[in-house]
Coordinates of all heavy atoms in Angstrom, one line a residue:
C14 N -46.0 41.1 46.2 CA -46.8 40.8 47.3 C -47.5 39.5 47.3 O -48.5 39.2 47.9 CB -47.9 41.9 47.5 SG -47.1 43.6 47.9
E15 N -46.9 38.6 46.5 CA -47.4 37.2 46.4 C -46.2 36.3 46.1 O -45.4 36.7 45.3 CB -48.5 37.1 45.3 CG -48.9 35.7 45.0 CD -49.7 35.6 43.6 OE1 -49.0 35.6 42.6 OE2 -50.9 35.5 43.7
G16 N -46.2 35.1 46.7 CA -45.2 34.2 46.3 C -44.7 33.3 47.4 O -45.2 33.2 48.5
R17 N -43.6 32.6 47.1 CA -42.9 31.7 48.0 C -42.1 32.5 49.0 O -41.4 33.4 48.6 CB -42.0 30.7 47.2 CG -41.2 29.7 48.1 CD -40.4 28.8 47.2 NE -39.4 29.5 46.3 CZ -39.5 29.7 45.0 NH1 -40.6 29.3 44.3 NH2 -38.6 30.4 44.4
V18 N -42.2 32.2 50.3 CA -41.5 33.0 51.3 C -40.0 32.5 51.3 O -39.7 31.4 51.4 CB -42.1 32.7 52.7 CG1 -41.3 33.5 53.8 CG2 -43.6 33.1 52.7
E19 N -39.1 33.5 51.1 CA -37.7 33.3 51.1 C -37.0 34.2 52.1 O -37.3 35.4 52.1 CB -37.1 33.4 49.7 CG -37.6 32.4 48.8 CD -36.9 32.4 47.4 OE1 -36.1 33.3 47.1 OE2 -37.1 31.4 46.7
L20 N -36.2 33.6 52.9 CA -35.4 34.4 53.9 C -33.9 34.3 53.6 O -33.5 33.3 53.0 CB -35.6 33.7 55.3 CG -37.0 33.7 55.9 CD1 -37.1 32.6 57.0 CD2 -37.3 35.1 56.5
E21 N -33.2 35.3 54.1 CA -31.8 35.3 53.9 C -31.1 35.1 55.2 O -31.4 35.8 56.2 CB -31.3 36.7 53.3 CG -29.9 36.7 52.8 CD -29.4 38.0 52.4 OE1 -30.0 39.0 52.8 OE2 -28.4 38.1 51.6
Q22 N -30.1 34.2 55.2 CA -29.3 34.0 56.4 C -27.9 33.9 56.0 O -27.5 33.0 55.2 CB -29.8 32.6 57.1 CG -29.1 32.4 58.5 CD -29.8 31.2 59.2 OE1 -30.2 30.3 58.6 NE2 -29.9 31.4 60.5
E23 N -27.1 34.8 56.5 CA -25.6 34.8 56.2 C -25.4 34.8 54.7 O -24.5 34.0 54.3 CB -24.9 33.7 57.0 CG -24.9 33.9 58.5 CD -24.6 32.6 59.3 OE1 -24.3 31.6 58.6 OE2 -24.7 32.7 60.5
G24 N -26.1 35.5 54.0 CA -25.8 35.7 52.5 C -26.5 34.6 51.7 O -26.4 34.6 50.4
T25 N -27.1 33.6 52.3 CA -27.8 32.5 51.5 C -29.3 32.6 51.7 O -29.8 32.8 52.8 CB -27.3 31.2 52.0 OG1 -25.9 31.1 52.0 CG2 -27.9 30.0 51.2
W26 N -30.0 32.5 50.5 CA -31.5 32.5 50.6 C -32.0 31.1 50.7 O -31.5 30.2 50.1 CB -32.0 33.1 49.3 CG -31.8 34.6 49.2 CD1 -30.8 35.3 48.6 CD2 -32.7 35.6 49.7 NE1 -30.9 36.6 48.7 CE2 -32.1 36.9 49.4 CE3 -33.9 35.6 50.4 CZ2 -32.7 38.1 49.8 CZ3 -34.5 36.8 50.8 CH2 -33.9 38.0 50.5
G27 N -33.0 31.0 51.6 CA -33.6 29.7 51.8 C -35.1 29.9 52.0 O -35.7 31.0 51.9
T28 N -35.8 28.8 52.3 CA -37.3 28.8 52.3 C -37.8 28.4 53.7 O -37.0 28.1 54.6 CB -37.8 27.8 51.3 OG1 -37.4 26.5 51.6 CG2 -37.4 28.2 49.9
V29 N -39.1 28.4 53.8 CA -39.8 28.0 55.0 C -40.7 26.8 54.8 O -41.4 26.7 53.8 CB -40.7 29.2 55.5 CG1 -41.5 28.8 56.7 CG2 -39.9 30.4 55.8
C30 N -40.7 25.9 55.7 CA -41.5 24.6 55.6 C -42.9 24.9 55.9 O -43.2 25.8 56.8 CB -40.9 23.5 56.4 SG -41.8 22.0 56.2
D31 N -43.9 24.3 55.2 CA -45.3 24.6 55.5 C -45.9 23.9 56.7 O -47.1 24.1 57.0 CB -46.1 24.3 54.2 CG -46.2 22.8 53.9 OD1 -45.7 22.0 54.7 OD2 -46.6 22.5 52.8
D32 N -45.2 23.1 57.5 CA -45.7 22.5 58.7 C -46.2 23.6 59.6 O -45.4 24.5 60.1 CB -44.7 21.7 59.4 CG -44.3 20.5 58.6 OD1 -45.0 20.1 57.6 OD2 -43.2 19.8 58.9
G33 N -47.5 23.7 60.0 CA -48.0 24.7 60.9 C -48.1 26.1 60.3 O -48.4 27.0 61.0
W34 N -47.9 26.2 58.9 CA -47.9 27.5 58.3 C -49.4 28.0 58.2 O -50.2 27.3 57.6 CB -47.3 27.4 56.9 CG -47.2 28.8 56.2 CD1 -47.9 29.2 55.2 CD2 -46.2 29.8 56.5 NE1 -47.5 30.4 54.8 CE2 -46.5 30.8 55.6 CE3 -45.3 30.0 57.5 CZ2 -45.8 32.0 55.6 CZ3 -44.5 31.1 57.5 CH2 -44.8 32.2 56.6
D35 N -49.7 29.1 58.7 CA -51.1 29.6 58.7 C -51.2 31.1 58.6 O -50.2 31.8 58.4 CB -51.9 29.1 60.0 CG -51.2 29.6 61.3 OD1 -50.3 30.5 61.2 OD2 -51.5 29.1 62.3
I36 N -52.4 31.6 58.6 CA -52.6 33.1 58.4 C -51.8 34.0 59.3 O -51.2 35.0 58.8 CB -54.1 33.4 58.4 CG1 -54.8 32.9 57.1 CG2 -54.4 34.9 58.5 CD1 -54.5 33.6 55.8
P37 N -51.8 33.8 60.6 CA -51.0 34.7 61.5 C -49.5 34.7 61.0 O -48.9 35.8 61.1 CB -51.1 34.1 62.8 CG -52.4 33.4 62.8 CD -52.5 32.8 61.5
D38 N -48.9 33.6 60.6 CA -47.6 33.6 60.0 C -47.5 34.4 58.8 O -46.6 35.2 58.6 CB -47.1 32.1 59.7 CG -47.3 31.2 60.9 OD1 -47.1 31.6 62.0 OD2 -47.5 30.0 60.7
A39 N -48.4 34.2 57.9 CA -48.4 34.9 56.6 C -48.6 36.4 56.8 O -48.1 37.2 56.1 CB -49.5 34.4 55.7
D40 N -49.4 36.8 57.8 CA -49.7 38.2 58.2 C -48.4 38.9 58.5 O -48.2 40.1 58.1 CB -50.6 38.3 59.4 CG -52.0 38.6 59.0 OD1 -52.2 39.2 57.9 OD2 -52.9 38.4 59.8
V41 N -47.5 38.2 59.2 CA -46.2 38.9 59.6 C -45.4 39.1 58.4 O -44.8 40.2 58.2 CB -45.5 38.0 60.6 CG1 -44.1 38.5 60.9 CG2 -46.2 37.9 62.0
V42 N -45.4 38.2 57.5 CA -44.7 38.3 56.2 C -45.2 39.5 55.4 O -44.5 40.4 54.9 CB -44.7 37.1 55.4 CG1 -44.2 37.3 54.0 CG2 -43.9 35.9 56.1
C43 N -46.5 39.6 55.2 CA -47.1 40.6 54.4 C -46.8 42.0 55.0 O -46.5 43.0 54.3 CB -48.6 40.4 54.3 SG -49.1 39.0 53.3
R44 N -46.9 42.1 56.4 CA -46.7 43.4 57.0 C -45.2 43.8 56.9 O -44.9 45.0 56.6 CB -47.2 43.3 58.5 CG -47.8 44.6 58.9 CD -48.4 44.6 60.3 NE -47.7 43.8 61.2 CZ -48.1 42.7 61.7 NH1 -49.3 42.2 61.3 NH2 -47.5 42.0 62.6
Q45 N -44.4 42.8 57.1 CA -42.9 43.1 57.0 C -42.5 43.7 55.6 O -41.7 44.5 55.4 CB -42.2 41.8 57.3 CG -40.7 42.0 57.6 CD -40.0 40.7 57.9 OE1 -40.7 39.7 58.4 NE2 -38.7 40.6 57.8
L46 N -43.2 43.2 54.5 CA -43.0 43.6 53.2 C -43.8 44.8 52.8 O -43.8 45.2 51.6 CB -43.2 42.5 52.2 CG -42.3 41.3 52.3 CD1 -42.8 40.1 51.5 CD2 -40.9 41.7 51.9
Q47 N -44.6 45.4 53.7 CA -45.5 46.5 53.4 C -46.5 46.2 52.3 O -46.8 46.9 51.4 CB -44.7 47.8 53.1 CG -43.9 48.2 54.3 CD -43.1 49.5 54.0 OE1 -42.5 49.6 52.9 NE2 -43.1 50.4 54.9
C48 N -47.0 44.9 52.5 CA -48.0 44.4 51.5 C -49.4 44.2 52.1 O -50.2 43.4 51.6 CB -47.5 43.1 50.9 SG -46.2 43.2 49.7
G49 N -49.7 44.9 53.2 CA -51.0 44.8 53.8 C -51.0 43.6 54.7 O -50.1 43.3 55.5
H50 N -52.1 42.8 54.7 CA -52.2 41.6 55.5 C -52.4 40.4 54.6 O -52.6 40.6 53.4 CB -53.2 41.8 56.6 CG -54.6 42.1 56.1 ND1 -55.5 41.1 55.8 CD2 -55.2 43.3 56.0 CE1 -56.6 41.7 55.4 NE2 -56.5 43.0 55.5
A51 N -52.5 39.3 55.2 CA -52.5 38.0 54.4 C -53.9 37.7 54.0 O -54.9 37.8 54.8 CB -52.0 36.9 55.2
V52 N -54.1 37.3 52.7 CA -55.4 36.8 52.2 C -55.3 35.3 52.2 O -56.3 34.6 52.5 CB -55.6 37.3 50.7 CG1 -56.9 36.8 50.2 CG2 -55.5 38.8 50.6
R53 N -54.2 34.7 51.9 CA -54.0 33.3 51.9 C -52.6 32.9 52.4 O -51.7 33.6 52.1 CB -54.2 32.7 50.5 CG -55.6 33.0 49.9 CD -55.9 32.1 48.7 NE -57.1 32.6 48.1 CZ -57.2 33.4 47.0 NH1 -56.0 33.7 46.4 NH2 -58.3 33.8 46.5
A54 N -52.6 31.7 53.1 CA -51.3 31.1 53.5 C -51.2 29.8 52.8 O -52.0 28.9 53.0 CB -51.3 30.9 55.0
H55 N -50.3 29.7 51.8 CA -50.2 28.5 51.0 C -49.1 27.6 51.4 O -48.1 28.0 51.9 CB -49.9 28.9 49.5 CG -51.1 29.4 48.8 ND1 -52.2 28.6 48.5 CD2 -51.4 30.6 48.2 CE1 -53.1 29.4 47.8 NE2 -52.6 30.6 47.6
G56 N -49.3 26.3 51.2 CA -48.3 25.3 51.4 C -48.0 24.5 50.1 O -48.5 24.9 49.1
N57 N -47.3 23.4 50.2 CA -47.1 22.4 49.1 C -46.5 23.1 47.9 O -46.9 22.8 46.8 CB -48.5 21.8 48.7 CG -49.0 21.0 49.9 OD1 -48.3 20.4 50.7 ND2 -50.3 21.0 50.0
A58 N -45.6 24.0 48.1 CA -44.9 24.7 47.0 C -45.8 25.2 45.9 O -45.6 25.0 44.7 CB -43.8 23.7 46.4
T59 N -46.9 25.9 46.3 CA -47.8 26.5 45.4 C -47.1 27.4 44.4 O -47.6 27.4 43.2 CB -48.9 27.3 46.2 OG1 -49.6 26.4 47.1 CG2 -49.9 28.0 45.3
F60 N -46.1 28.1 44.8 CA -45.4 29.0 43.9 C -44.1 28.4 43.4 O -43.2 29.1 43.0 CB -45.2 30.3 44.6 CG -46.4 31.1 45.0 CD1 -46.9 31.0 46.3 CD2 -47.2 31.7 44.0 CE1 -48.1 31.7 46.6 CE2 -48.4 32.3 44.4 CZ -48.8 32.3 45.7

């Protein structure tokens, strides 16, 4: 329930750029993973 956001598209894993990345975006990720809601939305490759 913590880390760098990675998505799969056509069998390849990729990442999300932090431009405009904020708590509402992170909330969707946390809920999708059944991890509650977002405490922090990190950029700059924190993980």
Side-chain angles (χ1 to χ4, degrees):
C14 294
E15 171 193 81
R17 179 178 61 254
V18 179
E19 296 191 345
L20 296 162
E21 187 185 26
Q22 188 170 35
E23 293 164 3
T25 302
W26 287 93
T28 62
V29 175
C30 184
D31 65 10
D32 293 344
W34 186 253
D35 58 13
I36 288 288
D38 304 326
D40 257 340
V41 173
V42 170
C43 291
R44 215 173 38 251
Q45 196 176 336
L46 292 171
Q47 297 181 313
C48 286
H50 58 87
V52 182
R53 298 195 191 103
H55 283 295
N57 300 324
T59 298
F60 297 103

